[in-house]
Amino acid sequence: MHSPKRVLFLDLVLTLFRLNGLLIAEGDAMTKGLGLTHARWKVIGAIALSSAGLTVPGIARVLGQSRQAVQRITDVMVADGILVYTENPKHKRSALVTLSERGQETYTLLREVQDPWAIRNTEDIPTEELETTLRLVRRLIKKLN
Amino acid sequence: MHSPKRVLFLDLVLTLFRLNGLLIAEGDAMTKGLGLTHARWKVIGAIALSSAGLTVPGIARVLGQSRQAVQRITDVMVADGILVYTENPKHKRSALVTLSERGQETYTLLREVQDPWAIRNTEDIPTEELETTLRLVRRLIKKLN
DNA sequence: GCCATAAAGACAATATATTGACAATATCGC
DNA sequence: GCGATATTGTCAATATATTGTCTTTATGGC
């Protein structure tokens, strides 16, 4: 059982855990001035990146967490006036979660720190490598579903 | 600011969050019979994969979390007889965290489910792609440090 | 060796996430 | 349409993680 891919894979998994933690810490540091926590900017980011519109369980699937955890944070964010539950034409019970006007302003501010950060982090990385990685990550996700 | 790499990167970050969650869920399902939780098998995995030996803050760095969170779980695992704090020749105060005899047995059982899983998940993925991804992930980690 | 700076353990407060369970409602194959 | 199955919202208990703070000790440059 000395498959080199086995070790490579387990190493990758561990390294992904680490990157995950660092990304969250980085995001929190970056958004400190905006009154956001990672639980919040993750939700905002997921909504913003989705073209179709997302329900609470949909956000949970995209973020890889339990729908209950997402429900909790979206409820708070709706109460805070950042998000709005809007009617879902495709599902009578499960509302679409959208950005309120204030939420959009917050997202604009988020983009102002996030965009330069994203560009800074990728300027010396070939597009091709980013694509390969994204493809592989998606492939792994498909296996785990 | 229509850098395609920007969108690619943000998409990657979100996708990594998702994979992270799925990996944890998968690991928990896989280790259910061993009485392990993800907080525990992550620590065991980190120790096992490190050749040098790790301290509590060292494990925290590898896993990308706070040293306090790791301290908490290692304290519990030492109390449970899975881990042992052993003297650290390189640092007088910060003990090395090692597997007890029972911890090693647990690790053996862990390997028995983990190895087939790792092989199964990579059998149709070229080694080269795994290496590219691991390299890119490491590169991002370095930037975020 | 000395000293400024960094690292580590410890404790507490709080935030976030998982898990399990239940009722209500959608969805989809037929 | 109908009915089995899956999904969703909700509530509660618990586990896990972050953050802030303080004290104690290492570490590394001089």
Side-chain angles (χ1 to χ4, degrees):
Chain A
M1 228 31 115
H2 279 294
S3 158
K5 278 202 280 191
R6 182 188 66 79
V7 181
L8 207 54
F9 181 67
L10 294 177
D11 196 356
L12 176 61
V13 169
L14 202 66
T15 312
L16 286 174
F17 287 148
R18 183 178 192 176
L19 178 57
N20 185 71
L22 288 173
L23 285 171
I24 289 172
E26 181 85 352
D28 278 351
M30 210 162 57
T31 59
K32 202 157 209 173
L34 308 183
L36 294 177
T37 63
H38 59 267
R40 291 176 175 232
W41 53 252
K42 274 181 177 180
V43 168
I44 294 179
I47 294 174
L49 238 72
S50 95
S51 43
L54 288 175
T55 63
V56 166
I59 295 171
R61 274 185 292 269
V62 170
L63 295 182
Q65 347 180 261
S66 68
R67 62 201 167 79
Q68 291 91 331
V70 173
Q71 184 80 249
R72 185 192 68 81
I73 202 72
T74 56
D75 282 351
V76 174
M77 290 172 81
V78 166
D80 283 357
I82 298 177
L83 299 179
V84 186
Y85 293 134
T86 63
E87 202 165 304
N88 184 355
K90 302 226 174 142
H91 197 296
K92 276 175 193 160
R93 261 179 100 213
S94 199
L96 289 176
V97 185
T98 54
L99 296 176
S100 70
E101 202 162 334
R102 213 182 116 218
Q104 294 187 15
E105 289 166 19
T106 302
Y107 179 58
T108 303
L109 297 174
L110 176 59
R111 286 284 305 268
E112 276 171 24
V113 290
Q114 198 184 48
D115 286 358
W117 174 76
I119 292 171
R120 207 180 329 131
N121 275 295
T122 51
E123 57 193 358
D124 61 346
I125 297 178
T127 303
E128 218 171 72
E129 285 190 31
L130 287 171
E131 281 168 348
T132 300
T133 299
L134 184 54
R135 193 158 15 91
L136 176 53
V137 171
R138 288 229 170 92
R139 206 160 157 186
L140 291 175
I141 286 173
K142 203 176 270 180
K143 280 175 197 284
L144 299 179
N145 266 337
Chain B
M1 232 27 118
H2 279 293
S3 158
K5 279 202 281 191
R6 182 188 65 79
V7 181
L8 208 52
F9 181 68
L10 295 178
D11 196 354
L12 177 61
V13 168
L14 203 66
T15 312
L16 286 175
F17 287 148
R18 183 177 191 176
L19 179 57
N20 184 71
L22 288 174
L23 285 171
I24 289 172
E26 182 84 351
D28 279 350
M30 209 161 59
T31 59
K32 203 159 210 169
L34 308 183
L36 294 175
T37 62
H38 60 267
R40 292 176 174 233
W41 55 252
K42 274 182 177 181
V43 168
I44 294 179
I47 293 174
L49 239 70
S50 96
S51 42
L54 289 174
T55 63
V56 166
I59 296 171
R61 274 186 291 269
V62 170
L63 295 181
Q65 3 180 249
S66 68
R67 63 200 166 81
Q68 290 91 332
V70 174
Q71 184 79 250
R72 185 191 69 81
I73 202 71
T74 56
D75 283 350
V76 175
M77 290 172 81
V78 166
D80 283 358
I82 298 176
L83 299 180
V84 186
Y85 292 135
T86 64
E87 202 164 305
N88 185 354
K90 302 226 175 145
H91 198 293
K92 276 175 194 158
R93 262 179 98 210
S94 199
L96 289 178
V97 185
T98 54
L99 296 178
S100 70
E101 203 163 333
R102 213 180 117 220
Q104 292 187 16
E105 291 167 16
T106 303
Y107 178 58
T108 303
L109 297 175
L110 176 60
R111 286 285 303 267
E112 277 171 21
V113 291
Q114 197 184 50
D115 286 359
W117 173 76
I119 292 171
R120 204 178 331 129
N121 275 296
T122 51
E123 58 194 357
D124 61 345
I125 296 178
T127 302
E128 216 172 75
E129 284 189 31
L130 287 171
E131 280 168 348
T132 301
T133 300
L134 184 53
R135 192 159 14 93
L136 177 52
V137 170
R138 287 231 170 90
R139 204 160 158 187
L140 291 175
I141 286 174
K142 201 175 272 182
K143 280 174 195 286
L144 299 178
N145 267 337

